[in-house]
Amino acid sequence: MLTALSIANIVLIERLDLDFEAGLGVLTGETGAGKSILLDALGLALGMRADSALVRQGSNQAQVTASFAPPAPGTPLAELLAANEIALEAGEALLIRRTLKADGGSRAFLNDQPCSAALLREIGTHLVEIHGQHDDRGLLAPAGHRALLDTYGRADTAAVAAAHAAWRAAEAKLAAARAAILEAERDREWLEHCVTELQALGPQPGEEAELAEARAAMQKGERLAGDLGAIMEAFEGSESGPALLRGAARRLDRLAGDHPLLAEALAGLDRAIIEADEAETKLHEAARAMEYDPDRLEATETRLFELRAMARKHGCQPDDLAALADDLAARLDAIEGGSAGLAKLETEVAETAAAYTHAATALSDLRTKAAARLDAAVAGELLPLKLDAARFRTLVERLPAERWGEAGIDRVEFLISTNPGAPFAPLAKIASGGELSRFILALKVALAEEGGADTIIFDEIDRGVGGAVASAIGERLARLAKGTGSAAGKQLLAVTHSPQVAAKGAAHFIIAKSSEGTVTRTSVRALDAAGRREEIARMLSGAEVTDEARAQAERLLETV
């Protein structure tokens, strides 16, 4: 909801600060007072084209600042702001500022964060709807008619969207399986050869490292065999070092009691014998570990080289050969069992397609019924708005199968016929400016939608009508602003020349133009009760306000 608007140096507006509230606000003033300037300024804040002609003569820069109530969490607007990293504190207003230089340059800011005009326009569509004589957005855009009808009919499209996603996912799986089988079929001969070769080799993870380690140990054993043999000879036979130490220890054992030093010498010999025994044990263990067997070494090297050669052939590491063998075997199996697998996936596609068609058909039936109710509701609004010759129809048309999507199988468009016997056609193509605005109002009242922008502006919706029709327009604007049933109320701003419409406003702003010498200014101010009566009386009587006009104005205000 628009809460405040500040304008500086826009055409005839030198400085203007306005506050707005919820409900219906009306803007009146004499022709040429500058009502369009106010809308142009708001449009500039909402991202419309920056025209340097808007800059007030003699000024270097124009600026518009619009303040909006904070968006509710989870709404499309809140998500759009978050996606563009526009952070708002809890309860913080959304502040839009747009500056325009006399040379045509412009800048835009969202809560003092620079943004593009394109983002401003996108955000603006969530904030304000402007319906005027040349409106080509909002209800006139067929792209949004289906969503509007779904909102009106309280249609839950989530089930259809989920069914469509499941269907497309099943189709993607089937397509991928067919492509995989086709590719595998082309490589069948190569796959059979590779699988046979790998299965014959039987590679195991970690095998290459074990073989390399064993080969290195045996090669060391071959090099050290002579040295180890000579060393082992020093530990063998009666003349070996350990044997001589044991003989000396036995003799010394008989003498050790004769002197303390002999006892210490015996202890030293015992330690030497123990160390020699441990050294001999280690030597035997090392000899066994590095035992050199030419046949075993050859077999180890052959296996190692086969693994490495196979890995090079397939461009992978030796440890990956086992996994590669399983993968190639699976691809070969997929060819053999492909038909059965495809049949299962084809069944899944058929089942999900049927589920989608069932859900989408039910949604289509609901739309058709909602369309009939909407047509009747709009028809009830046309007669009071002096559109009694017109007919409204909501087209619900089945799309070709290739265009079915997550929103269903229908194309929805609002059509009108303005004269008896005339064919139905889109709103924007056959309605005149005044008719168009009244059709939009009728639709808005009939839909009473909870979605869409919270602020709606009608620019001279009462053009060319008066009396009872103008009164009907005012009543419907007030009803739309208040909301009905479960539908939330809107903030409506109506630029009007009709006293009947002006009298229905909860707030009334007058736009006036004044001149001082060669300087002309446009001003806008809110009217109190007395001011409203005087302005409505002026609208009723013209330049000279009569007591009769004031009395009639009072009666109009009393009916609100």
Side-chain angles (χ1 to χ4, degrees):
M1 183 185 78
L2 178 65
T3 58
L5 182 65
S6 178
I7 303 171
N9 298 321
I10 296 287
V11 192
L12 299 179
I13 299 176
E14 188 173 40
R15 182 73 193 184
L16 182 63
D17 294 292
L18 294 174
D19 293 323
F20 298 93
E21 296 181 355
L24 174 60
V26 295
L27 297 95
T28 65
E30 295 182 356
T31 300
K35 295 184 289 294
S36 62
I37 300 174
L38 196 65
L39 296 183
D40 287 343
L42 181 57
L44 184 65
L46 297 174
M48 295 182 184
R49 188 175 69 87
D51 187 350
S52 60
L54 291 174
V55 180
R56 180 178 171 82
Q57 187 174 1
S59 300
N60 295 323
Q61 177 177 286
Q63 179 171 290
V64 182
T65 304
S67 177
F68 292 88
T75 59
L77 175 57
E79 293 174 357
L80 177 60
L81 292 172
N84 286 276
E85 299 181 350
I86 305 297
L88 298 179
E89 298 293 336
E92 182 184 7
L94 176 60
L95 201 65
I96 298 177
R97 179 163 55 90
R98 186 100 182 265
T99 61
L100 174 61
K101 293 182 178 180
D103 62 7
S106 71
R107 296 185 68 190
F109 301 87
L110 283 168
N111 286 57
D112 291 327
Q113 298 181 55
C115 73
S116 66
L119 176 59
L120 210 56
R121 282 192 295 275
E122 188 176 2
I123 289 174
T125 61
H126 294 277
L127 294 170
V128 179
E129 292 179 27
I130 301 178
H131 300 292
Q133 298 296 306
H134 306 289
D135 186 18
D136 59 355
R137 300 163 300 156
L139 292 176
L140 301 189
H145 292 176
R146 184 168 57 195
L148 288 170
L149 180 63
D150 288 343
T151 299
Y152 179 78
R154 293 181 173 82
D156 182 7
T157 60
V160 173
H164 182 264
W167 178 25
R168 293 307 182 209
E171 285 186 326
K173 285 168 59 179
L174 176 60
R178 283 174 173 164
I181 290 174
L182 183 61
E183 181 183 357
E185 188 66 44
R186 290 196 299 265
D187 299 332
R188 176 193 284 270
E189 185 176 344
W190 177 80
L191 283 171
E192 288 176 341
H193 170 74
C194 290
V195 169
T196 301
E197 191 175 48
L198 284 167
Q199 287 178 345
L201 182 63
Q204 299 297 321
E207 183 182 6
E208 191 254 358
E210 293 176 1
L211 290 171
E213 184 178 352
R215 174 175 176 254
M218 284 188 284
Q219 287 176 332
K220 288 180 182 178
E222 182 181 12
R223 292 195 306 270
L224 299 177
D227 292 336
L228 282 175
I231 294 171
M232 293 296 293
E233 287 178 0
F235 287 84
E236 296 174 357
S238 58
E239 298 300 322
S240 67
L244 294 175
L245 286 174
R246 291 188 186 92
R250 285 194 296 273
R251 290 184 179 184
L252 186 57
D253 183 51
R254 293 193 294 271
L255 305 175
D258 294 335
H259 196 280
L261 290 175
L262 294 175
E264 292 178 9
L266 179 60
L269 278 175
D270 288 340
R271 290 194 297 273
I273 292 169
I274 292 172
E275 293 291 338
D277 289 341
E278 289 181 358
E280 185 178 6
T281 300
K282 297 296 183 184
L283 285 170
H284 283 293
E285 290 176 356
R288 285 194 297 272
M290 293 187 292
E291 183 179 3
Y292 169 62
D293 180 347
D295 293 337
R296 181 166 167 256
L297 175 60
E298 183 180 359
T300 300
E301 287 182 333
T302 299
R303 176 68 176 175
L304 180 62
F305 296 156
E306 286 177 347
L307 286 173
R308 289 176 175 174
M310 189 68 72
R312 284 194 301 273
K313 178 178 179 180
H314 290 283
C316 65
Q317 295 298 318
D319 282 351
D320 297 331
L321 287 173
L324 177 65
D326 293 339
D327 179 59
L328 296 180
R331 288 173 60 183
L332 191 59
D333 290 342
I335 298 175
E336 307 298 334
S339 298
L342 285 182
K344 182 179 179 181
L345 289 174
E346 286 168 351
T347 300
E348 184 180 350
V349 169
E351 290 174 349
T352 53
Y356 169 78
T357 304
H358 177 76
T361 301
L363 176 60
S364 181
D365 293 341
L366 190 153
R367 284 172 173 158
T368 301
K369 294 175 183 177
R373 296 198 308 273
L374 178 59
D375 293 350
V378 174
E381 298 292 333
L382 297 180
L383 181 60
L385 294 174
K386 203 178 178 180
L387 294 168
D388 47 300
R391 291 174 298 153
F392 174 85
R393 187 176 79 184
T394 304
L395 174 68
V396 180
E397 182 181 59
R398 183 68 58 91
L399 290 166
E402 63 270 15
R403 293 181 58 192
W404 292 0
E406 60 181 14
I409 57 178
D410 307 306
R411 182 179 78 88
V412 177
E413 186 172 5
F414 299 148
L415 305 175
I416 62 168
S417 169
T418 55
N419 296 300
F424 283 91
L427 283 169
K429 290 188 177 180
I430 64 173
S432 65
E435 288 177 328
L436 190 57
S437 293
R438 281 178 279 150
F439 262 116
I440 289 172
L441 178 59
L443 265 172
K444 277 290 184 184
V445 173
L447 288 168
E449 56 167 328
E450 297 182 18
D454 288 333
T455 299
I456 305 173
I457 297 175
F458 285 98
D459 184 13
E460 299 187 5
I461 191 174
D462 50 5
R463 180 185 291 268
V465 301
V469 176
S471 181
I473 291 174
E475 288 173 358
R476 279 150 182 78
L477 288 172
R479 190 197 318 169
L480 184 58
K482 290 179 181 177
T484 56
S486 62
K490 301 282 187 179
Q491 180 190 51
L492 264 67
L493 296 175
V495 177
T496 179
H497 291 286
S498 167
Q500 291 88 349
V501 173
K504 299 296 183 180
H508 192 151
F509 299 90
I510 185 169
I511 303 173
K513 185 168 63 175
S514 62
S515 298
E516 296 179 9
T518 59
V519 179
T520 302
R521 296 183 177 87
T522 290
S523 63
V524 183
R525 61 185 177 87
L527 296 177
D528 57 15
R532 291 191 67 188
R533 184 185 62 184
E534 195 70 12
E535 170 62 7
I536 292 173
R538 181 199 64 77
M539 298 170 73
L540 286 165
S541 62
E544 184 178 349
V545 180
T546 64
D547 290 339
E548 182 181 352
R550 291 188 178 94
Q552 189 177 353
E554 191 69 43
R555 287 193 293 273
L556 285 175
L557 289 168
E558 287 175 355
T559 62
V560 179

